[in-house]
């Protein structure tokens, strides 16, 4: 399904303009391709440069040269366990596309989604749970999801599964040993011993399943996005509404550079509140990444609050918006508040809520309005994020069930002896299911589904 013998290339930096862009190449010809387009500043050609080196130089492109650095990771000491080169250059999308086109014209293949990680997995660099952790990391948007993804990534699940498989292998050798030497007067394992080891194993797997469920929950919480111009008070509002002191709030416009998310308790249940960089059309290009992240967050939210600064009121932009929040109301008197609310309502046709992140005034009413809106919307479950963990959960659950069936079969010494073959079948089943988590036994079709969730270049 995945061809790993050729050389693939992709832009692996996020879409949009940025100070730096990355083209990634991996495969047997990665070094050759790199040396055709990249001239190191020192005289040493690319193929003679040491592994793990960062080489300053220039990329030859469209009849000119532009400054770049090449990062070389040689087989097998690379992410994909094949030669891997990253060319870092100015992050202009047109430029990166041009270089990629050139590489493809010269014989490299455009990488499909997740193909770099697929190679890392297939070549034995990482386990399946870790690969899924990477997929989750790429799509994670909140701190909670991020740390859940990191735990996956560090192979926690693979480790649990690997330890459990060893225990199963040990038990299997005893159960099968008893079968093979049924006529010998040797006691390999008593039914009591077998049951107690299986019970301990099942409860360890249950605990892992429960921990996984708690981590997954964050992936399916409704998302509430705070949008609005820099300095409108979004970070202060996030702090106020969540009761946390997380966002950096400062009087300098544009201090919220990237997404921040925090869990929030609503009358209808938990939700995530997300603060992104203020969308300000006048900001300079260096903010592009943050702005892109903001647009992606808009796309991904269940409810969007446009925060308007009462001290510098401007009508919210005609983008998607559900509730207008007029913040810093402590700076206005009641009449001023009324007038401004009426104006914003007339301009947008939306519900306007006056609050003060500074004093907390109006915040309870805002939370109630958010709850009501979410209830009215009956937000859909985010299947994709949930799906990330579904294979894990199914595998763990199936393994646990097989172990429980084995426990039932081993009710007494007499039964354990009579049903030894069936017990062995269940233990094999459990080990096979866990093998999916350590990446040892993975059907092709499942692999395809997993790596299809990645973005290209990862
Ligand atoms: P952001 O850029 O939208 O995240 O805005 P911040 O939360 O960083 O707030 C910008 C400035 O407005 C900071 O100096 C805050 O202290 C101030 N601020 C935020 N909310 C209020 C409020 O309700 N009342 C007053 N008076 N100032 C506020």
């Amino acid at each position: 399904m995945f061809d790993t013998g050729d050389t693939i290339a992709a832009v692996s930096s996020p879409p949009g303009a940025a100070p730096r862009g990355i083209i990634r190449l991996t495969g047997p010809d990665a070094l050759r391709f790199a040396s055709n387009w990249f001239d190191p500043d020192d005289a040493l050609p690319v193929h003679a440069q040491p592994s793990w080196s960062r080489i300053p130089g220039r990329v030859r492109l469209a009849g000119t040269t532009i400054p770049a650095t090449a990062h070389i990771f040689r087989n097998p000491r690379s992410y994909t366990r094949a030669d891997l080169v990253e060319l870092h250059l100015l992050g202009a999308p047109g430029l990166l596309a041009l270089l990629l086109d050139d590489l493809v014209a010269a014989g490299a293949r455009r990488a499909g989604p997740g193909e770099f990680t697929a190679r890392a997995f297939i070549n034995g660099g990482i386990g399946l749970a870790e690969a899924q952790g990477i997929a989750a990391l790429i799509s994670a948007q909140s701190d909670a999801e991020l740390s859940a993804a990191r735990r996956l990534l560090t192979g926690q699940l693979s480790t649990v599964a690997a330890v459990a498989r060893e225990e199963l292998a040990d038990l299997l050798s005893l159960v099968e040993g008893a079968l093979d030497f049924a006529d010998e007067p040797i006691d390999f394992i008593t039914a009591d011993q077998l049951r107690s080891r299986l019970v301990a194993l099942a409860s360890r797997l249950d605990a892992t399943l429960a921990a996984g469920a708690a981590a997954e929950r964050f992936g399916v919480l409704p998302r509430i996005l705070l949008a609005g111009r820099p300095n409108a008070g979004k970070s202060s509002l996030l702090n106020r509404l969540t009761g946390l002191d997380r966002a950096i709030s400062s009087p300098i416009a544009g201090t919220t550079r990237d997404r921040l998310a925090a869990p929030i308790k609503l009358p209808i249940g938990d939700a995530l509140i997300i603060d992104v960089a203020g969308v300000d059309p006048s900001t300079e290009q260096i903010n592009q990444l943050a702005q892109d992240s903001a647009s992606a967050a808009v796309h991904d939210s269940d409810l969007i609050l446009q925060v308007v600064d009462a001290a510098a009121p401007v009508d919210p932009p005609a983008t998607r918006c559900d509730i207008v929040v007029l913040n810093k109301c402590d700076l206005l008197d009641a009449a001023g508040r009324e007038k401004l609310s009426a104006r914003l309502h007339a301009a947008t046709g939306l519900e306007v809520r006056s609050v003060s992140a500074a004093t907390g005034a109006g915040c309870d009413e805002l939370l109630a309005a958010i709850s009501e809106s979410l209830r009215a919307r009956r937000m859909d479950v985010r299947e994709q994020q949930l799906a990330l963990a579904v294979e894990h959960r199914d595998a763990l659950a199936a393994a646990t069930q097989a172990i429980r069936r084995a426990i039932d079969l081993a009710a007494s010494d007499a039964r354990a002896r009579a049903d030894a073959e069936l017990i062995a079948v269940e233990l094999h089943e459990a080990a096979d299911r866990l093998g999916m988590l350590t990446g040892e036994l993975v059907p092709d079709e499942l692999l395809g589904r997993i790596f299809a969730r990645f973005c290209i270049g990862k």
Side-chain angles (χ1 to χ4, degrees), residues 348-366:
T348 59
L350 295 167
E351 176 179 7
V352 180
R353 294 275 152 188
S354 303
V355 303
S356 166
T359 67
C363 286
D364 286 345
E365 290 83 350
L366 176 60

Side-chain angles (χ1 to χ4, degrees), residues 230-236 249-251 256 327-328 330-331 356-358:
N231 238 24
K234 297 179 296 299
S235 313
S236 312
S249 165
S250 88
T256 314
N327 186 36
K328 309 197 191 178
D330 53 296
L331 301 176
S356 166

Side-chain angles (χ1 to χ4, degrees), residues 362-382:
C363 286
D364 286 345
E365 290 83 350
L366 176 60
L367 289 176
I370 292 172
S371 232
E372 203 36 60
S373 273
L374 285 176
R375 202 199 320 267
R377 240 160 276 258
R378 303 192 62 241
M379 324 78 34
D380 54 328
V381 171
R382 275 153 212 289

Side-chain angles (χ1 to χ4, degrees), residues 170-243:
D170 194 38
L171 291 173
L172 261 170
S173 71
L174 295 170
V175 171
E176 287 177 342
L179 273 174
D180 292 344
F181 300 96
D183 302 333
E184 309 288 327
I186 316 171
D187 246 351
F188 283 86
I189 187 167
T190 66
D192 275 350
Q193 288 166 339
L194 179 61
R195 274 203 318 276
S196 75
R197 282 173 71 175
L198 287 175
V199 167
L201 189 57
S203 69
R204 266 206 305 283
L205 296 179
D206 274 345
T208 307
L209 204 56
E216 275 168 36
R217 243 185 56 239
F218 284 103
V220 293
L221 293 181
R223 291 156 180 272
I224 302 151
L225 181 73
L226 295 174
R229 297 178 76 97
N231 238 24
K234 297 179 296 299
S235 313
S236 312
L237 202 57
L238 182 133
N239 288 345
R240 170 64 71 178
L241 294 177
T242 58

Side-chain angles (χ1 to χ4, degrees), residues 4 24 33 38 54 73 113 124-125 150 175 200 204 214 226 235 279 298 328 348 362 364 368 382-383 444:
T4 59
R24 234 179 185 192
F33 282 126
F38 180 82
R54 178 183 168 281
F73 309 90
R150 279 207 193 96
V175 171
R204 266 206 305 283
L226 295 174
S235 313
V279 179
V298 167
K328 309 197 191 178
T348 59
D364 286 345
R382 275 153 212 289
E383 283 182 16
D444 253 15

Side-chain angles (χ1 to χ4, degrees), residues 139-142 145 216-225 259 271-272 274 296-304 320 374 377-390 393 453:
S139 64
Q141 281 155 24
S142 70
E145 279 175 65
E216 275 168 36
R217 243 185 56 239
F218 284 103
V220 293
L221 293 181
R223 291 156 180 272
I224 302 151
L225 181 73
R259 300 173 190 193
L272 272 183
I274 298 158
V298 167
H299 192 69
D300 222 33
S301 300
D302 296 293
L303 199 71
I304 298 180
R320 215 189 110 198
L374 285 176
R377 240 160 276 258
R378 303 192 62 241
M379 324 78 34
D380 54 328
V381 171
R382 275 153 212 289
E383 283 182 16
Q384 201 197 328
Q385 277 158 18
L386 191 65
L388 264 183
V390 161
R393 216 185 14 216
R453 293 199 201 103

